[in-house]
Amino acid sequence: MGLALCLHMGGVALAQPTMSPVLLNLIRQTVELHPSVRMESAFVRAAKEDVSAADWQRYPTLAAQTSSNTPRLSTQLSLEQPLWTGGRLDAQRDMARAQEALQVAQKKEVQYQLATKVVDSWVAMVQADERIKETGRTIDQLERYKAMMRRRVDAQVSPQIEFTLLEWRTFQARVDLQQTRTARTLSRNRLRQLVGHEPESDAAWDAEQPLAALATTASETRHALGRQIDDAIDVHPSVRKARERARVVQYQADVQRAGLGPEVYLRAQYRAGGAAVPGERSVFVGVRYQPGAGLSSLATSRAASERAQGQLFAAETAQRELNEQMRTDLENMASAQMRADALATAVGSSTDVLVSNERLFIAGKRSWQEVLNTVREGGDNRLALVDARAALLAAYYRLQVVRGDLDWQQSAP
């Protein structure tokens, strides 16, 4: 039983989602060095200073004033310590801390978005590489046919139109190849803009494994991504940001509400010069009441409370959107896997049919058009298989980002 349990636990460990080391390294560089992340990091540091400033509001306030409206200069020094503010200082401190948490969530959200863009760009580049290989295989096959068809045309066994048709099909394949190369260049350029620098070598950003191997790994471990979706959504930065914004607005309402009441303070004053007795000192307790114009403070407080309620609905909206996104990616993975399985079978069948049609063409039982159609069908099936595997891989990696499964997503900001 112990051995069986160990084997079972080992199988569970092997079933955990994984990510290409090359892609993971590109994501790390992007989420650490991208200008938008640096900007959000500065905002986080500023929010920390706001928390410190809110804490300092509990300490005495020193003021100094000098005037010359009398024959003698008048100087006044005062030191004021709040004794009771009706909860205003507590609300300001809590609001500053909630603002800090909001900025942290905002930074995380930007990092998640950048990571998703890196995933899409990198997978598109890998997909283009595989399509270039498959299109190159088709072109090589057509080029091999050219020598055979030229001999047949010279021997007047086949008409010239069949050689022309072959050249046209080759030209079409080369156009497709150029379009794919352009798509790869665009994906690489997007990736370079996200990472912020050129690769160390031409192959530095290439996948360490073929797309087929990466897709197989994704297929074997994709079921692990379907577990604990609700928990992953609950801690997603988009949801946390909406909740923290609701807290910020609610504390704003508390600050406004505290302003409706009086404030009690202790003040120590020292006055010298002017008409006052030199060195006059006084210590007293005062009450300050500034409710604002009419009922404006009360209306402002109610407005802030309503905005806070609206932000809570925004958090629920973000949860539903993330739930839909994650489940859509899971369905897309399942669909892509089914397509890949079917297309893998179709690719094998196309190869067998092509071999048969080549023999039958030599025997005069198949037309040259049918042979070329079989070549095109086989090439289309191989390209469709590449696209299905890329769709599976992209959804698989995007889900890991959304779930927060990567190491940098679980570290402190």
Side-chain angles (χ1 to χ4, degrees), residues 157-322:
V157 176
S158 295
Q160 177 64 35
I161 189 61
E162 292 186 348
F163 185 82
T164 303
L165 178 60
L166 176 59
E167 285 189 318
W168 172 245
R169 290 292 179 88
T170 306
F171 173 77
Q172 287 180 317
R174 292 189 181 279
V175 170
D176 294 340
L177 178 62
Q178 184 57 45
Q179 291 176 342
T180 305
R181 285 174 174 167
T182 301
R184 185 190 188 279
T185 300
L186 294 175
S187 299
R188 193 177 181 87
N189 288 341
R190 286 194 298 269
L191 194 57
R192 183 168 56 248
Q193 293 300 320
L194 290 167
V195 178
H197 62 79
E198 296 284 346
E200 293 78 8
S201 63
D202 292 339
W205 292 352
D206 293 348
E208 70 284 354
Q209 291 179 302
L211 178 59
L214 295 174
T216 299
T217 302
S219 176
E220 292 173 349
T221 59
R222 64 186 175 88
H223 296 291
L225 296 176
R227 298 195 299 265
Q228 299 177 332
I229 286 182
D230 293 336
D231 293 340
I233 292 174
D234 192 61
V235 298
H236 192 277
S238 296
V239 177
R240 289 172 52 196
K241 185 178 75 170
R243 289 175 179 166
E244 295 301 335
R245 183 172 285 125
R247 291 180 59 212
V248 169
V249 177
Q250 185 58 58
Y251 288 132
Q252 288 176 344
D254 294 342
V255 172
Q256 294 291 336
R257 194 176 298 111
L260 297 175
E263 178 181 346
V264 181
Y265 60 90
L266 174 67
R267 173 177 290 184
Q269 289 187 169
Y270 173 81
R271 291 185 295 175
V277 177
E280 179 183 358
R281 296 175 176 84
S282 62
V283 178
F284 59 90
V285 174
V287 178
R288 184 183 297 113
Y289 182 52
Q290 297 175 328
L295 299 177
S296 61
S297 296
L298 181 60
T300 302
S301 175
R302 289 198 300 263
S305 296
E306 291 298 330
R307 283 194 291 269
Q309 187 64 31
Q311 288 300 324
L312 291 177
F313 288 128
E316 183 179 351
T317 300
Q319 284 180 303
R320 295 188 180 188
E321 290 177 349
L322 285 169

Side-chain angles (χ1 to χ4, degrees), residues 219 222 331-344 388 392:
S219 176
R222 64 186 175 88
E331 291 298 325
N332 287 340
M333 288 175 63
S335 176
Q337 182 61 57
M338 294 176 60
R339 293 200 310 273
D341 293 341
L343 287 166
L392 170 63

Side-chain angles (χ1 to χ4, degrees), residues 4-21:
L5 180 60
C6 291
L7 291 175
H8 173 71
M9 295 301 293
V12 172
L14 291 175
Q16 294 304 310
T18 59
M19 180 170 285
S20 164

Side-chain angles (χ1 to χ4, degrees), residues 44-61:
V44 171
R45 294 192 296 270
K48 290 182 182 295
E49 295 298 330
D50 288 338
V51 173
S52 179
D55 289 335
W56 279 106
Q57 292 297 317
R58 297 178 178 276
Y59 289 83
T61 300

